[in-house]
Amino acid sequence: QVQLVESGGGSVQAGGSLRLSCVASGLTISNACMGWFRQAPGKEREGVGRISTTGGFTTYADSVKGRFTISRDNAKNTLYLQMNSLKPEDTAMYYCAAVVYRGRGCLSLLINEYIYWGQGTQVTVSA
């Protein structure tokens, strides 16, 4: 049984930083495409960042470029999201997701192609 467990969320003031972690079990993430997504109340879930199996390639939503960094430690089976210069509009539930690599580029996967999802961790940024 695959489980993804996020942690590291919280409440911060604008301009602050948080680091989210996502620990996987039942899945060897070195074989998986992974990403971070978020969903604010009343809005659709959106992609934040995606990362290749080795971590050598990443892509980000325009709204977070230059502020967020996605990374992975395959030895620890853990995905990370470093979030700096946080803004109130970053307030959302953040989810990590994974899908076993099948040959298609990780960075081009659509949100509905991710199979495994965590339960989410709340990030709240106050002005």
Side-chain angles (χ1 to χ4, degrees), residues 49-99:
R50 292 167 169 81
I51 189 167
S52 61
T53 54
T54 62
F57 298 95
T58 58
T59 187
Y60 298 94
D62 288 344
S63 58
V64 307
K65 280 180 182 176
R67 300 188 298 120
F68 290 12
T69 302
I70 187 173
S71 62
R72 62 196 296 163
D73 186 334
N74 287 344
K76 294 183 178 180
N77 231 33
T78 302
L79 179 72
Y80 301 100
L81 183 68
Q82 178 66 45
M83 304 186 295
N84 298 328
S85 302
L86 283 161
K87 303 176 180 180
E89 51 263 44
D90 295 318
T91 295
M93 186 72 78
Y94 283 71
Y95 300 89
C96 69
V99 59

Side-chain angles (χ1 to χ4, degrees), residues 2-118:
V2 176
Q3 282 192 318
L4 303 177
V5 180
E6 302 97 334
S7 63
S11 297
V12 297
Q13 290 189 327
S17 298
L18 286 172
R19 188 194 195 202
L20 306 184
S21 299
C22 171
V23 179
S25 59
L27 173 73
T28 301
I29 71 165
S30 60
N31 299 326
C33 299
M34 301 195 74
W36 284 99
F37 301 82
R38 66 186 182 185
Q39 187 168 18
K43 294 188 177 181
E44 292 188 354
R45 192 170 297 188
E46 63 177 0
V48 174
R50 292 167 169 81
I51 189 167
S52 61
T53 54
T54 62
F57 298 95
T58 58
T59 187
Y60 298 94
D62 288 344
S63 58
V64 307
K65 280 180 182 176
R67 300 188 298 120
F68 290 12
T69 302
I70 187 173
S71 62
R72 62 196 296 163
D73 186 334
N74 287 344
K76 294 183 178 180
N77 231 33
T78 302
L79 179 72
Y80 301 100
L81 183 68
Q82 178 66 45
M83 304 186 295
N84 298 328
S85 302
L86 283 161
K87 303 176 180 180
E89 51 263 44
D90 295 318
T91 295
M93 186 72 78
Y94 283 71
Y95 300 89
C96 69
V99 59
V100 175
Y101 177 69
R102 299 295 186 191
R104 182 179 169 188
C106 291
L107 304 189
S108 62
L109 292 178
L110 302 176
I111 188 170
N112 60 6
E113 294 181 282
Y114 287 82
I115 303 299
Y116 306 109
W117 291 83

